[in-house]
Amino acid sequence: MSRTEAPIPSHARPQAHHQAHPHDLIQAAGELAGLPELPRRGRGLSLRTLIVLRWLAVIGQTSAILTAYFALHFPLPLWECLTVIGAGVAMNLATMARARRIDGSLPDGPRTAAQLGFDILQLATLLALTGGLANPFCLLLVAPVTIAAAALPARQAVILGVMALIAVGFLFSWSLPLPWRLHEHLELPGLYRLGLGLALVTGVLFTAGYAWKVAADADKLELALATTQDVLQREQRLAALGGLAAAAAHELGTPLATIQVVAKEMLRDAPAGSPAAEDAALILQQAERCRAILKQLSAQPEEGDALFADIGLKALLEEVAEPHRGFDLDFDIALKIPSGQDAPRLRRLPEIVHGLSTLVENAADFATARVQLTAVVDAGWIEIDIVDDGPGFASEILPRLGEPYVTSRPQAKARRALAAQIASATRPARRERRAPPPPVTAPIAPSQGGMGLGFFIARTLLERSGAKVSVGAGDAAKGQPGGARVSVRWPRQVLEVTASAMEGDGT
């Protein structure tokens, strides 16, 4: 589900614990998936895999033909059948020779389609020589189409499926008689053969469709998990900037001290009020400013590690809500703690900050006027409820919420408002007869549209931290929109930083 993304002002200095806001999550998803398309799939199979599969098919076909001819004494066109099998052997040898010239372990979509197309033609020819649809091995026509549906793009899979259906129609209309015992003739009724053909067509369509759906869902899940991993790696890179800033501050301290010493000597030797004295004073002033900046940079990672390793419960809620303030929304933050106890301090994990930020962004995008963040603490659990006063989760979305690429609308309201704002700013100043668009009174943050990855990423990150995420209706009054509620619940011992741990960090 796509949500409003608030712009974050850029700072002049890097921070050791920089927060990558939900904009980074969706931006990473866009870079991997390519907005607004679903992930591309169908890379094909490697030549080595196709070679192994065809050798298995050749062995099975040869065994069946020889067993039927020599063991069961079925009168069948032996040499014609062996010739068709030999064509499969020749194709496999040519494929092996090609695999030696190129990297046969890499998937290749077009070659996979060509190889599977040959398999369909070879199998259909062999079936036509051995009874057509009356041959029980006609079920093997399902196999190449199923492989194509699972491993190839839609266009190539459809072409191979059509080839298989044409082969079924050809086998129904013409084939040699089914080989049977000597002096016996097995003739299946036409209606029964028609039923076999329809069953085979149904099997091809159903099995291929099922394989396509399973492969597509697996690809989408793989891409969504890769996006989540990319977000965590980006957070780690940003966190590493703090150490780099500290090292830079340490290295720059020595030359800056030298500049200050030389500037003081210049100021002492220059006549009072002369241009040289003014320049030396300016150098000293700017050098002192640089020293203050470097001190701030070095203090962030060195003195702030223990400070930023944990965070107060209310401070965490304020942090995830802050980027979304100022967009015509009221944020209510409340803590419910047993009387006589202080608010616990929590482990400040990137997964928790990113996940909660995305959920708050979700609520802000769909809310009408208010978003409420409530933290409830008891003896064993810490629960954070995020409630908005918007329309709530759609009934068709709710059962699938948490799956990748599930979204309730293609564009968020903030994106549409921003588009209207840009159009109003770029419109010529001359008067027009048409009515002006409604004014946008407050700045609106852009959204990346309905990728359907935001909630999936948030849920994955939070569950990785040990939380349980549940969704439901809000607490709006009767007759009003129900709103949406997302609850995130952790075992208290998983999330809370104990006093002994904080003392250990401070020593």
Side-chain angles (χ1 to χ4, degrees), residues 256-270 276-277 279-285 287-288 291:
L256 185 61
T258 303
I259 292 174
Q260 286 183 307
V261 171
V262 173
K264 287 179 181 179
E265 294 179 354
M266 292 175 57
L267 182 62
R268 185 178 62 249
D269 295 339
D279 291 342
L282 179 61
I283 292 174
L284 278 175
Q285 179 185 3
E288 188 62 32
R291 179 175 291 277

Side-chain angles (χ1 to χ4, degrees), residues 10-16 293 296-297 300:
S10 59
H11 296 281
R13 59 181 178 88
Q15 298 183 3
I293 294 175
Q296 196 173 15
L297 283 174
Q300 184 75 6

Side-chain angles (χ1 to χ4, degrees), residues 316-455:
L316 174 63
L317 300 183
E318 293 283 356
E319 180 178 352
V320 298
E322 183 62 30
H324 311 289
R325 296 184 184 274
F327 299 114
D328 290 338
L329 290 176
D330 293 328
F331 283 85
D332 299 333
I333 297 178
L335 302 181
K336 295 182 181 180
I337 303 172
S339 59
Q341 296 185 12
D342 296 330
R345 294 192 66 82
L346 313 178
R347 298 169 59 198
R348 191 187 183 281
L349 300 176
E351 295 93 332
I352 295 176
V353 176
H354 284 313
L356 291 178
S357 297
T358 302
L359 295 180
V360 172
E361 183 185 38
N362 233 12
D365 191 32
F366 279 73
T368 302
R370 182 177 64 90
V371 176
Q372 182 175 358
L373 282 72
T374 306
V376 181
V377 181
D378 59 23
W381 301 90
I382 296 176
E383 182 173 345
I384 296 178
D385 293 335
I386 303 172
V387 182
D388 63 71
D389 59 350
F393 294 111
S395 58
E396 66 273 11
I397 293 296
L398 193 57
R400 301 176 55 209
L401 199 59
E403 299 178 9
Y405 303 100
V406 174
T407 182
S408 59
R409 54 184 175 180
Q411 282 190 331
K413 61 182 180 182
R415 188 176 184 180
R416 295 194 300 267
L418 180 64
Q421 189 175 5
I422 294 175
S424 176
T426 57
R427 185 177 290 109
R430 61 184 180 86
R431 295 181 177 273
E432 298 181 357
R433 292 184 179 181
R434 58 185 178 181
V440 179
T441 57
I444 302 296
S447 172
Q448 292 295 327
M451 278 288 296
L453 278 177
F455 193 89

Side-chain angles (χ1 to χ4, degrees), residues 89-232:
V89 174
M91 172 63 77
N92 226 24
L93 293 176
T95 305
M96 292 176 62
R98 183 176 185 84
R100 294 191 187 97
R101 296 194 301 268
I102 62 176
D103 190 356
S105 63
L106 297 178
D108 192 327
R111 290 193 178 92
T112 300
Q115 297 283 338
L116 292 176
F118 172 82
D119 290 338
I120 293 175
L121 293 177
Q122 190 252 8
L123 181 58
T125 304
L126 192 60
L127 289 173
L129 295 174
T130 55
L133 295 183
N135 190 327
F137 290 101
C138 66
L139 184 63
L140 293 176
L141 281 172
V142 175
V145 183
T146 303
I147 296 174
L152 293 178
R155 180 180 301 176
Q156 298 173 0
V158 168
I159 292 175
L160 293 175
V162 171
M163 287 181 59
L165 297 181
I166 293 175
V168 172
F170 173 77
L171 293 176
F172 175 77
S173 60
W174 182 88
S175 67
L176 294 180
L178 178 67
W180 203 245
R181 297 187 182 95
L182 291 175
H183 312 297
E184 293 184 17
H185 181 67
L186 180 63
E187 182 69 26
L188 297 179
L191 184 60
Y192 186 79
R193 293 175 60 250
L194 177 61
L196 288 176
L198 293 178
L200 187 57
V201 169
T202 303
V204 168
L205 296 177
F206 177 80
T207 308
Y210 183 80
W212 171 266
K213 179 61 178 175
V214 170
D217 290 345
D219 285 344
K220 290 191 291 186
L221 182 60
E222 179 184 358
L223 176 63
L225 292 175
T227 303
T228 305
Q229 188 65 31
D230 180 76
V231 169
L232 293 179

Side-chain angles (χ1 to χ4, degrees), residues 80-95:
E80 290 83 348
C81 293
L82 293 179
T83 301
V84 175
I85 296 175
V89 174
M91 172 63 77
N92 226 24
L93 293 176
T95 305

